Amino acid sequence: MNEYYEHPYPSAKLESQYPFNVYEYERLTEEVMLSRAKSFYDKMDRRRSIRMFSSDSVPQELIELAVKAASTAPSGAHKQPWTFVATQDPEIKRAISAAAEQEEKINYLENRMNTEWQEALAPLGTDHHKEFLEIAPWIVVLFEQRYETRPDGAILKNYYVKESVGIAAGLFITALHHMGLTTLTHTPTPMKFLNKVLDRPKSERPFVLFPVGYPLEGVKVPELQRKDLNEIFTTVF
Ligand code: IYR
Protein backbone atom coordinates (compact mmCIF):
# COMPACT_ATOMS: atom_id res chain seq x y z
CA MET A 1 0.00 0.00 0.00
CA ASN A 2 2.72 2.40 0.95
CA GLU A 3 5.53 1.55 -1.41
CA TYR A 4 5.90 5.06 -2.86
CA TYR A 5 5.33 7.09 0.28
CA GLU A 6 8.21 8.02 2.48
CA HIS A 7 5.96 9.40 5.24
CA PRO A 8 3.16 7.15 6.48
CA TYR A 9 -0.25 8.69 7.13
CA PRO A 10 -1.39 8.55 9.80
CA SER A 11 1.85 8.05 11.61
CA ALA A 12 1.82 5.23 14.15
CA LYS A 13 2.26 7.86 16.86
CA LEU A 14 -0.88 9.74 15.79
CA GLU A 15 -2.97 6.59 15.65
CA SER A 16 -2.24 5.84 19.27
CA GLN A 17 -3.73 9.24 20.18
CA TYR A 18 -6.64 9.65 17.78
CA PRO A 19 -8.87 7.05 16.13
CA PHE A 20 -8.51 6.38 12.41
CA ASN A 21 -10.41 3.97 10.17
CA VAL A 22 -9.75 2.58 6.74
CA TYR A 23 -11.64 4.65 4.15
CA GLU A 24 -14.43 2.55 2.67
CA TYR A 25 -14.05 2.93 -1.04
CA GLU A 26 -15.05 0.95 -4.07
CA ARG A 27 -13.20 1.80 -7.28
CA LEU A 28 -15.47 1.90 -10.34
CA THR A 29 -14.59 1.16 -13.93
CA GLU A 30 -13.95 4.18 -16.15
CA GLU A 31 -17.03 3.26 -18.15
CA VAL A 32 -19.27 3.44 -15.08
CA MET A 33 -17.57 6.65 -13.95
CA LEU A 34 -18.18 8.31 -17.29
CA SER A 35 -21.81 7.30 -17.37
CA ARG A 36 -22.39 8.60 -13.82
CA ALA A 37 -20.48 11.80 -14.54
CA LYS A 38 -22.63 12.51 -17.61
CA SER A 39 -25.94 11.83 -15.96
CA PHE A 40 -24.99 13.92 -12.91
CA TYR A 41 -23.95 16.81 -15.12
CA ASP A 42 -27.23 16.56 -17.10
CA LYS A 43 -29.17 16.60 -13.87
CA MET A 44 -27.28 19.60 -12.47
CA ASP A 45 -27.56 21.47 -15.75
CA ARG A 46 -31.35 21.37 -15.36
CA ARG A 47 -31.20 23.19 -12.00
CA ARG A 48 -32.48 26.74 -12.11
CA SER A 49 -33.04 29.42 -9.51
CA ILE A 50 -36.76 30.04 -9.15
CA ARG A 51 -38.35 33.35 -8.14
CA MET A 52 -41.99 32.27 -7.87
CA PHE A 53 -42.89 29.35 -5.64
CA SER A 54 -46.04 27.33 -5.12
CA SER A 55 -47.46 27.53 -1.60
CA ASP A 56 -47.78 23.72 -1.48
CA SER A 57 -46.34 22.37 1.75
CA VAL A 58 -43.15 20.34 1.94
CA PRO A 59 -42.51 17.78 4.72
CA GLN A 60 -39.95 18.87 7.31
CA GLU A 61 -38.14 15.56 6.89
CA LEU A 62 -37.07 16.57 3.37
CA ILE A 63 -35.62 19.84 4.65
CA GLU A 64 -33.80 17.95 7.40
CA LEU A 65 -32.32 15.50 4.91
CA ALA A 66 -31.09 18.36 2.70
CA VAL A 67 -29.44 19.92 5.78
CA LYS A 68 -27.82 16.59 6.68
CA ALA A 69 -26.48 16.29 3.13
CA ALA A 70 -25.18 19.90 3.31
CA SER A 71 -23.50 19.18 6.62
CA THR A 72 -21.34 16.49 4.99
CA ALA A 73 -19.39 19.40 3.46
CA PRO A 74 -15.69 19.55 4.27
CA SER A 75 -14.92 22.38 6.69
CA GLY A 76 -11.85 24.02 8.22
CA ALA A 77 -10.59 21.75 11.02
CA HIS A 78 -13.92 19.91 10.70
CA LYS A 79 -15.61 22.63 12.74
CA GLN A 80 -18.80 22.52 10.63
CA PRO A 81 -19.27 26.23 11.32
CA TRP A 82 -22.88 26.50 10.15
CA THR A 83 -26.44 26.65 11.48
CA PHE A 84 -29.44 26.13 9.21
CA VAL A 85 -32.50 27.89 10.62
CA ALA A 86 -35.72 26.77 8.97
CA THR A 87 -39.20 28.20 9.38
CA GLN A 88 -42.63 27.60 7.93
CA ASP A 89 -44.28 30.00 10.36
CA PRO A 90 -46.40 32.49 8.35
CA GLU A 91 -45.72 35.32 10.85
CA ILE A 92 -41.97 34.87 10.70
CA LYS A 93 -42.01 34.56 6.92
CA ARG A 94 -44.06 37.76 6.72
CA ALA A 95 -41.61 39.58 8.99
CA ILE A 96 -38.67 38.42 6.85
CA SER A 97 -40.41 39.39 3.64
CA ALA A 98 -41.32 42.86 4.99
CA ALA A 99 -37.79 43.55 6.24
CA ALA A 100 -36.23 42.27 3.00
CA GLU A 101 -38.51 44.45 0.88
CA GLN A 102 -37.65 47.49 2.98
CA GLU A 103 -33.93 46.96 2.40
CA GLU A 104 -34.36 46.14 -1.28
CA LYS A 105 -36.40 49.31 -1.84
CA ILE A 106 -33.30 51.25 -0.83
CA ASN A 107 -31.15 49.05 -3.11
CA TYR A 108 -33.34 49.37 -6.20
CA LEU A 109 -35.34 52.59 -5.83
CA GLU A 110 -32.85 54.75 -3.95
CA ASN A 111 -29.90 53.37 -5.91
CA ARG A 112 -27.92 51.79 -3.07
CA MET A 113 -27.03 49.42 -5.92
CA ASN A 114 -25.29 51.58 -8.52
CA THR A 115 -26.37 51.74 -12.17
CA GLU A 116 -23.77 49.23 -13.30
CA TRP A 117 -25.05 46.72 -10.74
CA GLN A 118 -28.69 47.31 -11.66
CA GLU A 119 -27.83 46.88 -15.34
CA ALA A 120 -26.20 43.54 -14.59
CA LEU A 121 -29.43 42.42 -12.90
CA ALA A 122 -31.77 43.71 -15.62
CA PRO A 123 -31.88 40.40 -17.61
CA LEU A 124 -32.89 38.54 -14.43
CA GLY A 125 -35.89 40.81 -13.92
CA THR A 126 -35.44 41.13 -10.17
CA ASP A 127 -36.92 44.02 -8.22
CA HIS A 128 -37.70 44.97 -4.63
CA HIS A 129 -40.83 42.79 -4.42
CA LYS A 130 -40.08 39.67 -2.37
CA GLU A 131 -43.53 38.08 -2.01
CA PHE A 132 -42.02 34.67 -2.57
CA LEU A 133 -40.58 34.89 0.93
CA GLU A 134 -44.13 34.68 2.29
CA ILE A 135 -45.45 32.20 -0.23
CA ALA A 136 -42.72 29.53 -0.33
CA PRO A 137 -43.54 26.91 2.32
CA TRP A 138 -40.07 27.09 3.91
CA ILE A 139 -37.43 29.71 4.47
CA VAL A 140 -34.06 28.29 5.44
CA VAL A 141 -31.37 30.74 6.52
CA LEU A 142 -27.82 29.49 6.56
CA PHE A 143 -25.77 31.24 9.26
CA GLU A 144 -22.00 31.11 9.49
CA GLN A 145 -20.58 30.57 12.97
CA ARG A 146 -17.65 32.94 13.26
CA TYR A 147 -16.59 31.44 16.57
CA GLU A 148 -17.71 28.87 19.11
CA THR A 149 -18.20 29.59 22.80
CA ARG A 150 -17.11 26.83 25.15
CA PRO A 151 -19.29 26.08 28.23
CA ASP A 152 -16.63 27.83 30.38
CA GLY A 153 -17.06 30.97 28.26
CA ALA A 154 -13.81 30.56 26.30
CA ILE A 155 -14.08 31.69 22.68
CA LEU A 156 -12.70 29.44 19.95
CA LYS A 157 -12.51 30.88 16.50
CA ASN A 158 -13.47 28.87 13.46
CA TYR A 159 -11.27 28.59 10.37
CA TYR A 160 -12.04 29.19 6.70
CA VAL A 161 -15.62 29.94 7.63
CA LYS A 162 -16.73 31.46 4.31
CA GLU A 163 -15.14 28.68 2.29
CA SER A 164 -16.70 25.99 4.50
CA VAL A 165 -20.16 27.54 4.56
CA GLY A 166 -20.04 28.21 0.83
CA ILE A 167 -19.40 24.54 0.15
CA ALA A 168 -22.24 23.54 2.51
CA ALA A 169 -24.55 25.94 0.66
CA GLY A 170 -23.65 24.27 -2.64
CA LEU A 171 -24.38 20.84 -1.26
CA PHE A 172 -27.69 22.06 0.18
CA ILE A 173 -28.76 23.39 -3.22
CA THR A 174 -27.65 20.15 -4.88
CA ALA A 175 -29.53 18.00 -2.35
CA LEU A 176 -32.74 20.00 -2.84
CA HIS A 177 -32.46 19.74 -6.62
CA HIS A 178 -31.76 16.02 -6.39
CA MET A 179 -34.91 15.41 -4.31
CA GLY A 180 -37.08 17.45 -6.68
CA LEU A 181 -37.38 20.73 -4.78
CA THR A 182 -36.34 24.19 -5.89
CA THR A 183 -34.74 27.16 -4.22
CA LEU A 184 -33.31 30.59 -4.78
CA THR A 185 -29.91 31.63 -3.45
CA HIS A 186 -31.13 34.86 -1.95
CA THR A 187 -29.10 37.53 -0.19
CA PRO A 188 -31.44 40.28 0.98
CA THR A 189 -28.94 43.05 1.57
CA PRO A 190 -28.01 43.92 4.30
CA MET A 191 -29.04 40.72 6.08
CA LYS A 192 -28.34 41.61 9.70
CA PHE A 193 -32.10 41.82 10.43
CA LEU A 194 -32.21 38.02 10.19
CA ASN A 195 -30.36 37.66 13.50
CA LYS A 196 -33.14 39.57 15.20
CA VAL A 197 -36.09 37.95 13.46
CA LEU A 198 -34.67 34.43 13.93
CA ASP A 199 -33.17 35.09 17.38
CA ARG A 200 -29.60 34.08 16.56
CA PRO A 201 -26.54 34.96 18.71
CA LYS A 202 -23.96 37.54 17.66
CA SER A 203 -21.41 34.80 16.95
CA GLU A 204 -23.52 33.95 13.91
CA ARG A 205 -23.82 35.92 10.69
CA PRO A 206 -26.41 35.29 7.96
CA PHE A 207 -24.67 33.85 4.91
CA VAL A 208 -27.53 33.19 2.52
CA LEU A 209 -31.29 32.76 2.66
CA PHE A 210 -33.06 29.96 0.80
CA PRO A 211 -36.79 29.98 0.12
CA VAL A 212 -37.55 26.30 -0.54
CA GLY A 213 -40.53 24.66 -2.21
CA TYR A 214 -42.01 23.68 -5.53
CA PRO A 215 -41.89 26.08 -8.46
CA LEU A 216 -45.15 27.86 -9.23
CA GLU A 217 -46.65 25.97 -12.16
CA GLY A 218 -45.56 27.52 -15.45
CA VAL A 219 -43.03 29.88 -13.84
CA LYS A 220 -40.61 31.42 -16.31
CA VAL A 221 -36.87 31.63 -15.83
CA PRO A 222 -34.45 33.85 -17.73
CA GLU A 223 -32.99 32.28 -20.84
CA LEU A 224 -29.36 31.98 -19.95
CA GLN A 225 -26.23 30.45 -21.38
CA ARG A 226 -23.77 28.72 -19.15
CA LYS A 227 -20.13 29.39 -19.95
CA ASP A 228 -18.43 26.87 -22.22
CA LEU A 229 -15.84 24.62 -20.66
CA ASN A 230 -13.03 26.46 -22.43
CA GLU A 231 -14.03 29.68 -20.64
CA ILE A 232 -13.91 28.17 -17.17
CA PHE A 233 -11.29 25.45 -17.46
CA THR A 234 -7.74 25.28 -18.56
CA THR A 235 -4.89 22.85 -18.18
CA VAL A 236 -1.28 23.73 -17.61
CA PHE A 237 1.60 21.65 -18.92
N1 IYR B 1 -30.24 41.50 -3.20
C1 IYR B 1 -31.01 42.02 -4.31
C2 IYR B 1 -30.24 42.26 -5.53
C3 IYR B 1 -29.67 41.10 -6.25
C4 IYR B 1 -28.30 41.04 -6.40
C5 IYR B 1 -27.73 40.04 -7.12
I1 IYR B 1 -25.73 40.06 -7.40
C6 IYR B 1 -28.54 39.04 -7.73
O1 IYR B 1 -27.97 38.03 -8.47
C7 IYR B 1 -29.91 39.13 -7.61
C8 IYR B 1 -30.46 40.16 -6.84
C9 IYR B 1 -32.27 41.16 -4.54
O2 IYR B 1 -32.40 40.13 -3.91
O3 IYR B 1 -33.12 41.53 -5.34
Side-chain angles (χ1 to χ4, degrees):
M1 172 219 176
N2 242 333
E3 74 271 20
Y4 38 72
Y5 283 92
E6 230 180 288
H7 304 288
Y9 172 83
S11 73
K13 186 168 151 267
L14 196 61
E15 254 186 303
S16 64
Q17 263 179 298
Y18 302 101
F20 280 82
N21 298 308
V22 172
Y23 178 44
E24 277 178 43
Y25 176 76
E26 189 198 340
R27 186 155 169 171
L28 306 172
T29 65
E30 279 186 16
E31 194 188 355
V32 171
M33 285 162 66
L34 191 60
S35 142
R36 286 197 192 188
K38 283 181 176 162
S39 65
F40 186 70
Y41 164 65
D42 285 343
K43 171 123 208 169
M44 292 312 295
D45 197 33
R46 283 196 297 274
R47 185 204 59 77
R48 294 301 305 267
S49 294
I50 293 296
R51 287 188 169 78
M52 289 183 96
F53 293 81
S54 148
S55 61
D56 289 354
S57 63
V58 166
Q60 182 166 327
E61 192 180 5
L62 292 177
I63 305 295
E64 289 174 358
L65 281 163
V67 170
K68 285 176 79 167
S71 203
T72 66
S75 61
H78 190 53
K79 294 284 188 176
Q80 298 183 267
W82 44 69
T83 312
F84 290 79
V85 182
T87 186
Q88 24 174 198
D89 183 303
E91 294 292 314
I92 297 175
K93 289 194 297 174
R94 194 170 310 127
I96 292 174
S97 165
E101 286 194 342
Q102 212 174 349
E103 294 291 358
E104 297 296 356
K105 265 188 187 157
I106 304 172
N107 294 335
Y108 285 93
L109 306 179
E110 294 172 28
N111 297 329
R112 181 160 56 185
M113 290 191 299
N114 64 22
T115 312
E116 185 187 316
W117 190 347
Q118 297 210 35
E119 277 171 9
L121 292 179
L124 304 183
T126 57
D127 62 21
H128 63 279
H129 297 291
K130 303 297 171 194
E131 275 173 286
F132 59 79
L133 293 173
E134 270 190 79
I135 293 169
W138 286 95
I139 288 182
V140 181
V141 181
L142 169 51
F143 285 85
E144 52 179 87
Q145 299 171 354
R146 293 148 64 218
Y147 54 87
E148 147 193 4
T149 312
R150 283 257 183 88
D152 67 359
I155 283 178
L156 284 183
K157 82 184 207 78
N158 287 325
Y159 307 100
Y160 298 101
V161 171
K162 294 249 180 251
E163 292 83 348
S164 306
V165 178
I167 298 166
L171 293 188
F172 184 64
I173 294 164
T174 306
L176 292 171
H177 178 62
H178 183 65
M179 67 176 74
L181 290 170
T182 50
T183 188
L184 171 69
T185 309
H186 184 43
T187 48
T189 312
M191 292 202 278
K192 203 67 203 158
F193 70 89
L194 291 167
N195 278 71
K196 199 165 172 202
V197 179
L198 297 171
D199 195 25
R200 299 312 300 171
K202 74 172 195 313
S203 57
E204 295 187 2
R205 188 187 286 161
F207 184 74
V208 72
L209 179 158
F210 299 102
V212 179
Y214 302 98
L216 184 69
E217 219 183 299
V219 68
K220 291 190 176 175
V221 293
E223 190 177 304
L224 57 73
Q225 291 294 316
R226 292 197 159 108
K227 287 183 178 174
D228 283 336
L229 189 64
N230 63 18
E231 297 174 88
I232 57 167
F233 176 74
T234 185
T235 53
V236 181
F237 296 97

